[in-house]
Amino acid sequence: MNLTLKIWRQKDSNAKGQMVDYKVTDISEHMSFLEMMDVLNEQLINAGEEPVAFDHDCREGICGMCSMYINGEAHGPDRGVTTCQLHMRMFKDGDTITIEPFRAAAFPVIKDLVVDRTAFDRIQHAGGYISVNTSGNTQDANAIPISKHAADEAMDAATCIGCGACVATCKNSSAMLFVGAKVSQYALLPQGQVEAADRVRNMVAQMDLEGFGNCTNTGACEIECPKGISLDNIARMNRELMKAQF
């Protein structure tokens, strides 16, 4: 298929960006979206032009690195997939595809389609961990009884890959789905109870400090999340925060 790509180009974080049009031809419907971007970059390099910078790593929907806003949707028109899992069969020959970086004040553009998501790392550092006795007398995890329901819910929350699609798609640039997932994966397990109050207070405080907006229950984050993280995790985080205040 032959496509027209409208891509956000920005030299660095201080430069003024703009949309630039490119043509790509003979794109297979079996290619992933990132493979199509590779074809474009090879074309640009051969022409002596600067390739488009974009984040990627595992290309298996696990690492959370790829982050493109495609035709007005985080990770593109498919559901339950990251950008690297999006295939060109979702588009038609002759289509014009608009590709932008994730937009949020807390995710400043570094170059082209690459944004700085270290705000998520700082939120994690604020409380996304548990204390473990490493003296040699550590209790075996398999010896701690946990209900299947709690284990399943904790695992569902832990599938969050921190890609930032929830922030990019939210009209308020809220990170509450991300923080809610990270709080929930520990709040549901006995191992997470020791720091439970400090964790939620510190992570929410850091989230606010980073400049993310608040949640107004639109639900776009859950729809665009490639891992289907539920809004229930935001409700759980709010309950944990209220408990922590007392």
Side-chain angles (χ1 to χ4, degrees):
M1 65 179 78
N2 300 326
L3 303 165
T4 299
L5 307 178
K6 292 181 176 292
I7 301 179
W8 181 262
R9 301 303 308 265
Q10 185 172 334
K11 186 176 180 181
D12 55 49
S13 57
N14 298 316
K16 185 178 180 180
Q18 62 179 344
M19 301 298 291
V20 180
D21 290 3
Y22 298 100
K23 302 282 188 182
V24 287
T25 58
D26 299 325
I27 298 297
S28 169
E29 65 175 9
H30 303 299
M31 283 182 178
S32 72
F33 199 86
L34 294 191
E35 286 172 334
M36 181 275 294
M37 293 296 294
D38 291 338
V39 169
L40 170 64
N41 276 345
E42 186 175 1
Q43 179 179 305
L44 292 175
I45 291 168
N46 290 337
E49 298 179 42
E50 182 80 12
V52 178
F54 61 90
D55 267 331
H56 62 96
D57 193 357
C58 74
R59 298 199 177 204
E60 293 180 350
I62 299 168
C63 69
M65 285 294 290
C66 54
S67 52
M68 295 184 193
Y69 208 68
I70 304 164
N71 285 349
E73 297 181 85
H75 295 305
D78 208 351
R79 290 290 173 266
V81 299
T82 54
T83 303
C84 63
Q85 295 174 303
L86 178 68
H87 282 81
M88 298 311 297
R89 66 180 71 99
M90 297 297 295
F91 304 94
K92 299 184 181 70
D93 182 38
D95 274 359
T96 296
I97 305 174
T98 302
I99 310 167
E100 301 173 84
F102 281 179
R103 304 284 190 183
F107 287 169
V109 174
I110 297 173
K111 182 178 181 181
D112 295 339
L113 305 175
V114 180
V115 297
D116 181 356
R117 285 172 286 180
T118 54
F120 273 9
D121 296 332
R122 291 187 289 272
I123 292 171
Q124 279 284 77
H125 294 165
Y129 53 84
I130 60 170
S131 295
V132 177
N133 183 347
T134 56
S135 65
N137 298 316
T138 308
Q139 185 176 4
D140 192 310
N142 291 329
I144 303 172
I146 301 171
S147 72
K148 184 169 190 311
H149 179 70
D152 286 347
E153 284 201 320
M155 187 63 189
D156 288 344
T159 58
C160 169
I161 57 176
C163 66
C166 51
V167 174
T169 201
C170 177
K171 63 186 179 183
N172 306 319
S173 297
S174 172
M176 289 185 75
L177 192 69
F178 167 77
V179 180
K182 298 307 177 186
V183 167
S184 290
Q185 73 182 71
Y186 297 116
L188 288 159
L189 302 175
Q191 294 94 329
Q193 299 312 305
V194 178
E195 299 96 352
D198 286 342
R199 175 183 302 111
V200 68
R201 279 197 300 260
N202 293 341
M203 293 183 79
V204 169
Q206 187 64 41
M207 174 184 71
D208 292 340
L209 189 64
E210 296 293 343
F212 292 104
N214 207 347
C215 174
T216 49
N217 296 313
T218 304
C221 54
E222 181 179 355
I223 293 170
E224 298 290 355
C225 175
K227 300 302 175 183
I229 302 298
S230 172
L231 288 174
D232 291 346
N233 292 293
I234 296 178
R236 184 177 295 107
M237 179 189 71
N238 288 333
R239 290 195 299 272
E240 290 291 318
L241 184 60
M242 288 193 70
K243 283 194 297 181
Q245 306 305 332
F246 300 100

